[in-house]
Amino acid sequence: MRATVLVRPKQGILDPQGEAVESALGHLGFRVADARVGKVIDLEVDAADAAEAKAQVLRMCEQLLANPLMESYEVEIVG
Amino acid sequence: MASPQPRIGVVTYPGSQDDRDALWALAALDAEAVPVWHEEERLPDLDAVVLPGGFSYGDYLRCGAIARFSPATAAVREFAAAGGLVLGICNGFQILCEAGLLPGALQRNASLRFTCRDVELRVEREGLPFTSRCARGQRLVIPVKNGEGRYVPPPDLDPRQVVLRYVDNPNGSVDDIAGVCNEAGNVLGLMPHPEHAVDPLLGSDDGALLLASLVDAARERALALA
């Protein structure tokens, strides 16, 4: 099963990378607000079905892929 | 008769950088400095442990996130749980936070720049095994060198766990926090590098106050257990 994990800085956590990106986009003439920079982790998971794969990847997020104090995460099972 | 020289281990992970400086500084302060390899599942007989600065496992994923799974880190966790003294410097602080031995997390500097310079710190808590040679309110000049040193505490951090604050915050750390301890006070993490400030030739020897406090406490522990 193919899984994609989106890890984002939590709301309220200062994201200086997002601020830098927002400022650079401003220099290009784009009017943007609230830019936040996170990361994407793609995985191939050994699981019988999508529900099991998702449960596994959620455990991975809790234990390693995200720091729950700073980051929120979303798991998508691509199939 | 027990040896008056306490044994203090310094863990070397792949990518550790300041392990040798830490070993050198501890030896200069009259401890027996013991190198510990990250693959060691059992610590040698030690009176304290230092997790040094650097970039363990390339800082991949998050700083300290992978080092948390090293056999030596598991041994350090047991050592700390039994009341052992543990000091994490810079990357060592990041590892202790990721391992859950200290509260909070370290994030990219607000400036997005790697910052390497002397900073002034204020001692907020005296009398710990790491600050027994300092007075509350005392100013220490110790260098920082980090890209991800912005400390973010958990919402419920007990203010008594704040041991050191920046006088002029170099990285955007919340509440100017430079160093925190666990509730029991036997584990301390800080971003500045006391091991780089133990000789006036290097600009300051204020770091020796923190490290000599640790050596004192480790010596007392060694004598108590002997």
Side-chain angles (χ1 to χ4, degrees):
Chain A
M1 290 270 157
R2 197 88 203 132
T4 292
V5 182
L6 286 173
V7 180
R8 295 189 170 92
K10 270 190 178 169
Q11 280 303 322
I13 297 286
L14 175 68
D15 176 22
Q17 283 192 93
E19 288 179 1
V21 167
E22 187 177 314
S23 153
L25 287 171
H27 287 297
L28 287 172
F30 293 104
R31 294 174 57 183
V32 297
D34 257 347
R36 312 278 285 170
V37 175
K39 58 188 131 188
V40 173
I41 301 161
D42 287 323
L43 299 164
E44 187 73 38
V45 191
D46 184 10
D49 55 38
E52 190 198 319
K54 183 158 187 175
Q56 272 194 45
V57 178
L58 286 172
R59 285 208 306 280
M60 295 177 203
C61 291
E62 287 159 18
Q63 291 175 31
L64 176 64
L65 299 180
N67 180 335
L69 183 66
M70 322 294 318
E71 296 167 327
S72 62
Y73 49 85
E74 271 174 40
V75 174
E76 192 186 340
I77 303 299
V78 188
Chain B
M1 238 348 249
S3 158
Q5 207 182 26
R7 286 166 56 85
I8 303 186
V10 176
V11 181
T12 298
Y13 296 96
S16 289
Q17 192 177 40
D18 302 321
D19 41 344
R20 285 172 182 236
D21 277 27
L23 289 163
W24 180 87
L26 291 166
L29 296 168
D30 201 28
E32 183 185 345
V34 182
V36 177
W37 187 237
H38 67 102
E39 286 177 340
E40 292 181 28
E41 292 178 3
R42 303 182 68 156
L43 296 177
D45 183 23
L46 297 174
D47 304 305
V49 182
V50 174
L51 303 190
F55 301 86
S56 58
Y57 300 91
D59 274 354
Y60 292 158
L61 192 63
R62 295 178 308 275
C63 303
I66 312 288
R68 181 181 127 204
F69 298 100
S70 279
T73 307
V76 168
R77 188 193 300 275
E78 278 179 34
F79 182 77
L85 302 170
V86 179
L87 173 65
I89 302 167
C90 196
N91 188 227
F93 184 16
Q94 294 164 338
I95 293 167
L96 291 172
C97 286
E98 282 285 343
L101 287 170
L102 288 175
L106 292 136
Q107 295 274 288
R108 189 73 67 93
N109 290 350
S111 65
L112 291 178
R113 289 195 190 89
F114 190 94
T115 303
C116 182
R117 62 179 166 89
D118 282 344
V119 296
E120 212 177 354
L121 305 171
R122 191 172 59 242
V123 177
E124 299 286 4
R125 186 162 163 194
E126 61 188 6
L128 284 172
F130 314 92
T131 58
S132 59
R133 291 205 184 197
C134 307
R136 188 177 152 87
Q138 187 174 353
R139 306 268 181 117
L140 307 176
V141 174
I142 296 180
V144 289
K145 51 170 186 141
N146 61 64
E148 310 214 8
R150 177 167 54 93
Y151 181 71
V152 181
D156 57 349
L157 180 74
D158 182 340
R160 285 174 306 172
Q161 288 177 249
V162 177
V163 179
L164 297 162
R165 279 200 165 86
Y166 299 109
V167 173
D168 182 15
N169 193 336
N171 51 29
S173 289
V174 173
D175 292 337
D176 301 327
I177 295 171
V180 293
C181 66
N182 63 347
E183 282 177 17
N186 63 313
V187 179
L188 173 74
L190 77 168
M191 285 316 291
H193 288 264
E195 80 283 17
H196 295 335
V198 291
D199 189 308
L201 190 65
L202 300 172
S204 166
D205 57 358
D206 289 352
L209 293 171
L210 299 176
L211 294 178
S213 299
L214 175 63
V215 173
D216 288 346
R219 182 179 291 115
E220 278 173 29
R221 194 175 160 79
L223 289 170
L225 293 177

